[in-house]
């Protein structure tokens, strides 16, 4: 008898920033979504936003992926999961320099546990959340997937390199496993509804939440780490991609994992193909919102790469995916999300 029930997908770190937007995209694409998150850098209330957007609440369990026994019990309890999208990891470059062991434990052990458990529970494939940090400072820009993997400039970047190597070795040893590795550039913005967005616990480590919170008066000024880089205005250049565009790429990747017979891991860059400096991003935000963002220039931050942006041609060709949303619309969505958070706080 033909099974017409929706495919089950596990999203680790699904209450986090990119994870929650991907959960929405998956649910809207018809998948049955399960979320595992330890809420170390996320909030359980994000599930309310997901439910408001999609009309359905994903199944959620508070589990740390580094807990092998708990993850084993989860897979036993929820049989038939087709694929895992693995977001759960520590992700702040600066923090990783000061507390490297936290990053090696969370990022590497969590992945190893999943790769050990997936074949036991007949889970077919893994979509892995990687990063453009694996390229270090590329020799050629825009950077494509054939660029050499250089020595990481931070423990965070090193964990992504290590995890990618672990995936390649594991898939090579076990042909029953399939994997797609997605190297993100810099996700920003929020869902158009402003019901979910980026809300880190404590002081933000990423640029855009710091910008919007400073514009909202939460912080007096933003610090720009260095204005003496070899770039047009001296500040670092990144490829900023709308988070919902990024989420849609995961839907494409999951469909490919399920439908195709992949013998080796596939790697794709996810970016817009355009670079924007820190100063350009701040000025664009001010122009879009009419809000002022006070800033000060401070010294360079250890672990930061000078400039990097993507050549996303391979993802466009194979995944049939392309970043569509302008940086102006993306920054406007981030500001709407910040306003939503402020209104919700005032209502309490």
């Amino acid at each position: 008898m033909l099974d017409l029930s929706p495919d089950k997908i596990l999203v680790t770190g699904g209450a986090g920033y990119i994870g929650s937007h991907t959960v929405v995209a998956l649910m809207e694409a018809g998948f049955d979504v399960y979320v595992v998150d330890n809420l170390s850098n996320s909030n359980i209330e994000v599930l309310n936003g997901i439910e408001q957007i999609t009309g359905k609440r994903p199944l959620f369990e508070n589990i740390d992926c580094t807990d092998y026994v708990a993850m084993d019990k989860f897979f036993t309890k929820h049989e038939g999961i087709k694929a895992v999208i693995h977001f759960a990891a520590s992700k702040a470059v600066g923090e990783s320099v000061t507390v490297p062991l936290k990053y090696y434990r969370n990022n590497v052990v969590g992945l190893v546990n999943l790769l050990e458990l997936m074949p036991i529970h007949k889970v077919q494939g893994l979509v892995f959340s990687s990063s453009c940090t694996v390229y270090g400072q590329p020799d050629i820009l825009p950077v494509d997937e054939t660029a050499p993997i250089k020595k990481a400039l931070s423990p965070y970047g090193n964990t992504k390199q290590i995890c990618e190597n672990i995936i390649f070795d594991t898939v090579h040893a076990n042909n029953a496993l399939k994997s797609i590795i997605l190297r993100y550039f810099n996700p920003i913005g929020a869902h158009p509804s402003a019901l979910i967005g980026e809300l880190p616990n404590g002081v933000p480590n990423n640029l855009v939440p710091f910008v919007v919170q400073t514009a909202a008066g939460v912080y007096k000024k933003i610090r720009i780490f260095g204005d003496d880089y070899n770039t047009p205005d001296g500040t670092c250049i990144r490829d900023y991609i709308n988070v919902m565009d990024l989420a849609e790429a995961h839907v494409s990747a999951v469909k490919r994992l399920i439908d195709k017979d992949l013998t080796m891991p596939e790697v794709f860059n996810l970016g817009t193909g355009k670079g924007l400096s820190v100063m350009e991003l701040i000025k664009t935000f001010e122009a879009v919102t009419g809000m002022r963002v006070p800033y000060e220039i401070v010294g360079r931050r250890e672990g930061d790469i000078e400039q990097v942006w993507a050549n996303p041609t391979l993802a466009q060709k194979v995944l049939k995916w392309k970043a569509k949303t302008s940086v102006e619309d993306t920054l406007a969505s981030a500001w709407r999300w910040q306003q939503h958070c402020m209104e919700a706080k005032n209502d309490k």
Side-chain angles (χ1 to χ4, degrees), residues 235-263:
T235 63
C236 290
I237 292 175
R238 297 288 183 269
D239 186 337
Y240 295 98
I241 178 174
N242 180 278
V243 68
M244 282 310 301
D245 287 349
L246 186 68
E248 292 296 340
H250 290 76
V251 176
S252 298
V254 162
K255 288 178 177 177
R256 183 169 175 82
L257 263 188
I258 293 171
D259 294 341
K260 302 292 183 181
D261 183 20
L262 307 180
T263 56

Side-chain angles (χ1 to χ4, degrees), residues 183-341:
R183 292 174 180 162
Y184 312 159
F185 282 66
N186 290 69
I188 61 171
H191 191 272
S193 66
L195 292 169
I196 59 172
E198 186 170 13
L199 188 64
N201 293 339
V203 179
N205 285 301
N206 293 339
L207 176 61
V208 169
F210 218 135
V211 166
V212 297
Q213 289 186 30
T214 301
V218 178
Y219 300 102
K220 289 184 178 179
K221 56 189 172 183
I222 186 169
R223 292 181 297 165
I224 297 176
F225 295 101
D227 66 347
D228 58 349
Y229 286 98
N230 184 28
T231 62
D233 62 23
T235 63
C236 290
I237 292 175
R238 297 288 183 269
D239 186 337
Y240 295 98
I241 178 174
N242 180 278
V243 68
M244 282 310 301
D245 287 349
L246 186 68
E248 292 296 340
H250 290 76
V251 176
S252 298
V254 162
K255 288 178 177 177
R256 183 169 175 82
L257 263 188
I258 293 171
D259 294 341
K260 302 292 183 181
D261 183 20
L262 307 180
T263 56
M264 285 299 291
E266 294 184 333
V267 180
F268 299 99
N269 285 344
L270 300 182
T272 66
K274 297 176 182 176
L276 198 69
S277 75
V278 171
M279 192 64 74
E280 285 175 319
L281 183 131
I282 291 171
K283 296 303 180 187
T284 303
F285 176 85
E286 290 181 330
V288 167
T289 63
M291 302 300 296
R292 183 171 166 270
V293 182
Y295 65 84
E296 67 171 332
I297 307 295
V298 298
R300 294 186 181 191
R301 180 173 59 181
E302 189 178 355
D304 277 345
I305 295 165
E306 180 174 273
Q307 50 187 322
V308 63
W309 63 92
N311 179 341
T313 304
L314 189 63
Q316 292 170 9
K317 181 180 177 182
V318 178
L319 296 180
K320 311 300 182 192
W321 167 88
K322 187 176 183 179
K324 305 182 295 287
T325 313
S326 70
V327 69
E328 289 83 3
D329 287 347
T330 302
L331 290 171
S333 73
W335 179 237
R336 287 195 303 273
W337 163 244
Q338 177 63 33
Q339 291 173 302
H340 170 82
C341 293

Side-chain angles (χ1 to χ4, degrees), residues 49-71:
I50 292 171
E51 187 173 13
Q52 283 180 268
I53 294 167
T54 65
K56 187 179 178 183
R57 197 176 187 87
L59 184 141
F60 170 83
E61 291 202 26
N62 186 336
I63 299 173
D64 191 317
C65 288
T66 63
D67 185 338
Y68 183 95
V69 173
M71 287 301 298

Side-chain angles (χ1 to χ4, degrees), residues 67-183:
D67 185 338
Y68 183 95
V69 173
M71 287 301 298
D72 188 25
K73 287 179 179 176
F74 177 87
F75 281 116
T76 301
K77 183 178 175 183
H78 305 288
E79 291 182 348
I81 290 172
K82 276 279 182 73
V84 177
I85 302 180
H86 184 43
F87 292 109
S90 301
K91 63 175 186 174
V93 170
E95 182 191 50
S96 77
V97 175
T98 58
V99 284
L101 290 180
K102 171 184 174 180
Y103 280 70
Y104 288 109
R105 177 180 295 279
N106 288 351
N107 298 9
V108 178
V109 175
L111 173 69
V112 170
N113 284 348
L114 279 174
L115 290 173
E116 286 185 345
L117 288 166
M118 285 169 61
I120 295 171
H121 296 279
K122 297 180 172 56
V123 181
Q124 293 178 12
L126 175 79
V127 176
F128 179 66
S129 166
S130 192
S131 168
C132 64
T133 57
V134 301
Y135 297 117
Q137 179 56 63
D139 297 322
I140 299 172
L141 290 167
V143 62
D144 67 22
E145 293 83 356
T146 64
I149 303 300
K150 294 190 173 183
K151 179 177 171 54
L153 299 180
S154 68
Y156 165 73
N158 199 30
T159 65
K160 291 301 183 184
Q161 291 184 1
I162 291 167
C163 286
E164 286 195 11
N165 288 334
I166 290 170
I167 290 168
F168 270 93
D169 289 344
T170 305
V171 172
H172 177 75
N174 185 345
N175 291 331
L177 272 178
K178 299 186 284 187
S179 181
I180 291 178
I181 295 168
L182 302 178
R183 292 174 180 162

